[in-house]
Amino acid sequence: MAGIYLHIPFCKQACHYCNFHFSTSVKYKEEIVAAMLRELELQKDYLRGEAIETIYFGGGTPSLLNQRDLDLFFNKLISNFSISNFKSLEITLEANPDDLNFQKIKELKSTPINRLSIGVQSFFEKDLKFMNRAHNASEAEACIKIAQDNGFENLTIDLIYGSPATPDINWIKNIEKAIDFNIPHLSCYCLTVEEKTALAHFVKTGKTKPVDEEQAARQFNILINKLNANNYEHYEISNFAKKGFYSKHNSSYWQGKKYLGVGPSAHSFNGTSRQWNIANNAKYMQALKENKLNKELEILTPEQQYNEYVMTALRTMWGIDFLKIKNMGRGDYFIKNIKTYMEQGLVFEKNGNYTLTDKGKFLADGIAAGLFL
Ligand code: SF4
């Protein structure tokens, strides 16, 4: 089973914290779509005929695609990959609230898309302004209602905590609102100040306070407690789901399944190597005009495969499977290093699986780094 990721590299405006690849000009949207369709043809054998389980339109802002664009993608996908019909697949489209009016939702519902990932981030105007989001607080609520009323049951929203603009009381209300809407899946990220973003510049020049680690840790704990009490499973550091609503696409990344990434900056993985397209729309399109891919490739060494497995598995509720580590020939090394974290109450072991405790969850990256080869 494998997945396909399609990166739509356009946004209406740049969110201050974002370091993804996108352009704020949609002038070349049709040309990019044409180039991506060409890439799908060129890469049709990358997954070696494995059955496709998930398709994910990410970005950027995939809700800027119109029905014609989506039809072109679906026709190309079914004619080049191992897909018997779209019904049995999880097909997600990331969408921004300002795009999701009644008309747009109806349009999306008429396509094979069966899961929406909505970039809400917050239900508060002050937060949204701080982040420079293109939508406002009322659009954040309205789009969820429209999506649910029109049969999109499988919904996920993104929320951001730890922002200087988000006091605890607003963070609590954000979580409560998501629970009240009965949204079955939530992705909640701590605000991070990435290099070369507007936010990094504001922090550097003193216009914005840096992220307060204590506040972030407190809000993460509030999140875990509130969602646990409301029947959400904390199945990955940043992801919470009601039973049956795990993201199959993201779970396959964490389980080391193969995937093909299409579009500028998109990454692909075939089990032993990783490759990524150039993060530049013009250069990406130019190469495809010549039926070529402008990409880089990295063959993963056994050490890198071990490190990747440790990093991704540790972040999930299923944890690190010791048998897999042993089969990689790293059993002794792992046991020697995990001991410290177990003594500190950051990791626990059950039936041969090593999993983070709630205390350990906030330190996941540091713990993984301590286990690396
Ligand atoms: S809409 Fe998403 S991809 Fe676009 S700038 Fe904002 S966070 Fe980044």
Side-chain angles (χ1 to χ4, degrees):
M1 290 291 202
I4 296 179
Y5 172 81
L6 299 133
H7 187 84
I8 310 302
F10 302 104
C11 292
K12 284 185 189 160
Q13 64 188 52
C15 302
H16 285 159
Y17 57 88
C18 181
N19 72 343
F20 294 152
H21 170 69
F22 64 91
S23 159
T24 48
S25 162
V26 287
K27 201 168 148 199
Y28 293 106
K29 184 170 73 84
E30 276 183 29
E31 286 86 344
I32 284 279
V33 170
M36 289 175 69
L37 295 170
R38 186 74 198 105
E39 186 185 359
L40 281 168
E41 277 172 12
L42 290 178
Q43 294 286 71
K44 69 182 166 58
D45 295 324
Y46 182 81
L47 299 168
R48 295 178 183 273
E50 262 190 51
I52 303 301
E53 191 180 21
T54 62
I55 296 170
Y56 194 101
F57 292 88
T61 310
S63 47
L64 291 175
L65 295 174
N66 58 33
Q67 187 145 14
R68 180 187 160 273
D69 301 327
L70 290 168
D71 288 346
L72 288 170
F73 277 123
F74 285 119
N75 288 337
K76 192 61 79 183
L77 285 162
I78 204 152
S79 52
N80 285 281
F81 293 88
S82 182
I83 300 169
S84 50
N85 66 69
F86 289 118
K87 279 208 171 78
S88 54
L89 273 57
E90 176 191 272
I91 306 177
T92 306
L93 179 120
E94 285 182 357
N96 280 344
D98 44 307
D99 291 328
L100 292 182
N101 53 30
F102 180 75
Q103 174 67 26
K104 182 76 183 182
I105 292 274
K106 280 266 179 220
E107 208 175 284
L108 293 174
K109 196 65 193 147
S110 71
T111 72
I113 292 158
N114 51 29
R115 184 171 183 268
L116 290 181
S117 171
I118 309 180
V120 168
Q121 319 306 349
S122 173
F123 294 102
F124 286 90
E125 211 61 59
K126 192 176 156 211
D127 281 339
L128 297 171
K129 287 225 159 71
F130 174 84
M131 297 179 208
N132 200 38
R133 295 291 305 184
H135 67 278
N136 59 37
S138 57
E139 285 167 330
E141 292 195 31
C143 69
I144 296 172
K145 179 108 186 44
I146 300 171
Q148 289 176 328
D149 287 351
N150 286 281
F152 275 108
E153 189 198 340
N154 198 351
L155 279 187
T156 176
I157 66 166
D158 289 351
L159 291 175
I160 290 182
Y161 62 92
S163 157
T166 317
D168 289 356
I169 183 72
N170 288 7
W171 176 236
I172 292 168
K173 285 184 185 160
N174 271 338
I175 304 167
E176 286 174 349
K177 197 148 275 205
I179 295 168
D180 289 347
F181 271 119
N182 199 19
I183 297 164
H185 186 285
L186 305 175
S187 295
C188 303
Y189 302 102
C190 182
L191 182 71
T192 45
V193 182
E194 304 287 354
E195 275 179 37
K196 295 185 188 152
T197 58
L199 182 60
H201 177 70
F202 297 153
V203 170
K204 202 169 151 200
T205 54
K207 191 177 164 195
T208 298
K209 281 195 272 176
V211 173
D212 175 348
E213 299 265 322
E214 263 181 43
Q215 175 202 339
R218 201 171 56 241
Q219 294 189 349
F220 185 58
N221 275 326
I222 294 171
L223 175 72
I224 293 174
N225 293 335
K226 277 217 156 280
L227 293 182
N228 276 347
N230 283 276
N231 302 320
Y232 287 85
E233 275 187 298
H234 191 185
Y235 75 107
E236 198 268 348
I237 290 283
S238 310
N239 290 284
F240 301 79
K242 292 263 176 88
K243 255 214 158 21
F245 285 95
Y246 302 145
S247 161
K248 286 188 194 157
H249 187 81
N250 290 347
S251 298
S252 64
Y253 290 153
W254 307 323
Q255 288 158 3
K257 291 188 186 171
K258 294 174 191 168
Y259 59 88
L260 169 67
V262 171
S265 83
H267 285 231
S268 304
F269 175 65
N270 68 0
T272 50
S273 73
R274 202 167 280 294
Q275 65 183 47
W276 55 96
N277 290 337
I278 189 158
N280 178 300
N281 289 3
K283 288 183 181 165
Y284 170 82
M285 287 189 291
Q286 185 53 42
L288 278 150
K289 266 189 198 147
E290 297 159 22
N291 282 331
K292 286 191 282 202
L293 279 170
N294 193 334
K295 64 173 168 57
E296 285 184 66
L297 176 93
E298 183 183 38
I299 310 280
L300 297 178
T301 63
E303 285 77 17
Q304 284 171 315
Q305 289 181 28
Y306 165 91
N307 288 349
E308 284 208 3
Y309 175 67
V310 164
M311 189 173 70
T312 48
L314 188 66
R315 292 174 62 88
T316 70
M317 72 175 184
W318 302 282
I320 296 171
D321 179 354
F322 183 64
L323 208 58
K324 279 194 184 157
I325 296 284
K326 229 171 115 186
N327 289 340
M328 290 177 183
R330 305 291 177 180
D332 292 345
Y333 177 86
F334 178 81
I335 292 294
K336 191 171 135 237
N337 285 281
I338 198 82
K339 237 173 112 194
T340 334
Y341 302 111
M342 292 180 74
E343 282 163 9
Q344 291 171 30
L346 301 172
V347 175
F348 69 97
E349 185 268 340
K350 198 178 166 193
N351 301 330
N353 288 324
Y354 290 80
T355 310
L356 293 171
T357 60
D358 278 352
K359 195 173 147 200
K361 282 173 184 167
F362 204 73
L363 302 167
D365 291 346
I367 298 171
L371 297 170
F372 285 172
L373 288 166

